[in-house]
Amino acid sequence: MARAKIALIGSGQIGGTLALLAGIKELGDIVLFDIADGVPQGKALDIAEAAPVEGFDASLSGASSYAAIQDADVVIVTAGVPRKPGMSRDDLLGINLQVMEQVGAGLKKYAPNAFVICITNPLDAMVWALQKFSGLPANKVVGMAGVLDSARFRYFLAEEFKVSVEDVTAFVLGGHGDTMVPLTRYSTVAGIPLTDLVKLGWIEKDRLEEIVQRTRDGGAEVVNLLKTGSAFYAPAASAIVMAESYLKDKKRVLPAAALLDGQYGIKGRYIGVPIVIGANGVERIIEIELNKSEQAMLDKSVASVEGLVEACVKIAPALGA
Ligand code: A3D
């Protein structure tokens, strides 16, 4: 059987890491694309030269023309600019929206059947614009944010409780970052909800709140340390899990930005919710009942995404149609 084809639009920090992980996991042949001539070619060659050492078989190539992504099965989009210290994700909107228009046109022409994972920030607005620009069906275009946000939450909790990261599950909803909604009653250690662990005396409520806040600020914490860009290892690992679930029809239940059609009272917007990813792309959007404070947090998150979408429509009125 022919190998799957994975196209990476953007070959920067995340793009390069995606290529390495996709290679090591033997998910398929990999095409790196970027406007910076030489970068995708150089990274492809470098990773191909790691293949004999790591023992994986994959063809890797770099390109500066969209024709190279022809008939890709999975496309992961990181093209654009990342944050620098002091910048919010929203500061990236104007530049990255133009990039999404170009990427959307490339997808429409060369990879209309692909499963597309957008990572470019501000995530919830960019994935919405990318789906519109590309015209691809909504079940084939998703945004990566929730897997990363919940991974950060899981890591901090595992450190706090001195337990394996594998035994901590986390449930997050909403937009990426500052307004994400971590649901503590659905986040667990080996199935025991965090709210019960508070009652059992594992952790004080205030300490748990601090960890939730650190999770919300998780991206900025890395940006402030790196100074020259934003996180890339964990974001890449998070998108790879989503790609793998699609390619292997694993039907993983993962938090991701999906186009909602009335779920959680939201229509026509991409918001982070738990979804099932299988061979048909987004196979299910999982809706749970929220209590008052959870609903209030989600409403705030949705309002901030709405503001970004409106800003996109101002710049590119065709998106509003
Ligand atoms: P970076 O290392 O700068 O890579 C971006 C690449 O995009 C560069 O190589 C650019 O040359 C390339 N590029 C710019 N414009 C175009 C274009 N028009 N067409 C094709 N390629 C282009 O950034 P990065 O890899 O660190 O981050 C990429 C994006 O991911 C940024 O927008 C980040 O803000 C975002 N990001 C999102 C998350 C989420 O959880 C959603 C996490 C971390 C980063």
Side-chain angles (χ1 to χ4, degrees), residues 94-317:
I95 306 170
N96 287 352
L97 185 62
Q98 283 177 19
V99 176
M100 290 307 104
E101 187 165 7
Q102 295 164 17
V103 177
L107 287 171
K108 186 181 252 176
K109 186 158 181 201
Y110 293 107
N113 298 316
F115 179 61
V116 180
I117 302 169
C118 180
I119 308 185
T120 301
N121 269 321
L123 189 273
D124 307 274
M126 290 302 103
V127 65
W128 173 83
L130 183 64
Q131 193 265 332
K132 287 223 159 192
F133 283 135
S134 69
L136 266 62
N139 64 313
K140 301 295 276 299
V141 182
V142 294
M144 188 296 294
V147 177
L148 174 64
D149 288 331
S150 63
R152 286 177 172 149
F153 195 28
R154 289 170 64 195
Y155 166 66
F156 298 147
L157 290 167
E159 284 283 288
E160 180 74 14
F161 296 136
K162 309 262 179 299
V163 298
S164 166
V165 287
E166 285 188 61
D167 296 320
V168 182
T169 64
F171 193 116
V172 298
L173 279 178
H176 178 42
D178 313 346
T179 61
M180 64 172 262
V181 183
L183 294 189
T184 48
R185 68 194 172 105
Y186 286 116
S187 303
T188 78
V189 173
I192 310 165
L194 294 180
T195 39
D196 285 10
L197 292 175
V198 172
K199 285 185 208 145
L200 290 169
W202 278 44
I203 186 166
E204 296 285 327
K205 210 163 173 260
D206 288 353
R207 176 69 188 135
L208 183 55
E209 206 31 63
E210 275 172 28
I211 294 177
V212 165
Q213 194 53 44
R214 186 177 178 198
T215 306
R216 286 203 183 98
D217 298 336
E221 189 176 353
V222 176
V223 169
N224 289 335
L225 289 166
L226 292 178
K227 296 180 189 73
T228 52
S230 54
F232 53 99
Y233 294 117
S238 302
I240 288 291
V241 155
M242 296 168 68
E244 190 173 21
S245 191
Y246 172 75
L247 288 167
K248 297 186 180 169
D249 193 23
K250 282 174 72 82
K251 305 195 190 294
R252 297 265 334 252
V253 180
L254 297 167
L259 186 67
L260 299 187
D261 187 26
Q263 297 90 344
Y264 297 94
I266 303 158
K267 217 173 159 73
R269 295 289 176 264
Y270 271 83
I271 294 288
V273 289
I275 60 172
V276 175
I277 300 179
N280 293 316
V282 181
E283 296 190 347
R284 186 173 189 164
I285 292 176
I286 299 172
E287 206 176 355
I288 55 152
E289 274 196 22
L290 301 177
N291 64 30
K292 263 198 180 146
S293 79
E294 291 161 351
Q295 186 66 50
M297 283 194 282
L298 183 64
D299 290 347
K300 193 173 153 209
S301 188
V302 172
S304 101
V305 172
E306 193 59 36
L308 293 172
V309 164
E310 280 167 18
C312 288
V313 175
K314 253 192 197 151
I315 299 170

